[in-house]
Amino acid sequence: MASGCVEYFTCFEYRIPAKQLCVKNCNNDEMERLLRRRRLERVSDSYAKQAIIWFIELELLKRGKISDAALLGAVSDEFPIDGVEIYINNISILVAVKTFFTADCLLRH
């Protein structure tokens, strides 16, 4: 990672056993800590990503979080889905939507 590069994500975490849905904003360092702590693995299949995004979007709508559902709706219209990472383990689904990044991040591409 280039020095000074900070990416920000809106994270949608669904806890499967409890059916809890949490929405929070985090930067790339917080995201890495969360992935390590929860031992989440990346989903690479584009069709699985699409289905998971639809599921989380419907859960958000069911809970009345319309603006958060609109963010997921906007990214789910793109195919292949860019700017969205999905991670899972046996008890959690994490959908991370890249919402902002600093100008230094442009230099690393």
Side-chain angles (χ1 to χ4, degrees):
M1 180 165 46
S3 64
C5 176
V6 180
E7 298 173 318
Y8 293 92
F9 301 89
T10 298
C11 297
F12 304 91
E13 184 177 16
Y14 184 77
R15 306 286 288 191
I16 297 166
K19 297 181 180 175
Q20 293 175 326
L21 183 59
C22 174
V23 180
K24 60 185 168 188
N25 295 309
C26 58
N27 64 32
N28 47 348
D29 293 332
E30 295 166 336
M31 181 81 157
E32 288 298 321
R33 284 193 301 270
L34 179 64
L35 295 176
R36 271 194 312 270
R37 188 173 62 240
R38 299 260 169 85
R39 295 185 178 126
L40 295 163
E41 297 179 13
R42 179 177 287 183
V43 173
S44 58
D45 181 83
S46 59
Y47 293 103
K49 287 172 84 170
Q50 186 78 33
I52 291 169
I53 288 172
W54 285 339
F55 171 74
I56 299 297
E57 184 180 359
L58 289 174
E59 284 293 319
L60 288 165
L61 289 171
K62 186 167 81 173
R63 296 160 198 253
K65 297 184 176 192
I66 297 168
S67 62
D68 292 325
L71 173 62
L72 278 181
V75 297
S76 69
D77 291 342
E78 302 173 9
F79 199 82
I81 300 169
D82 293 326
V84 178
E85 294 296 334
I86 298 177
Y87 303 90
I88 60 170
N89 64 16
N90 58 345
I91 61 168
S92 294
I93 300 170
L94 179 74
V95 177
V97 179
K98 190 182 301 184
T99 53
F100 177 78
F101 54 89
T102 59
D104 292 334
C105 296
L106 294 173
L107 299 175
R108 71 177 185 180
H109 293 291

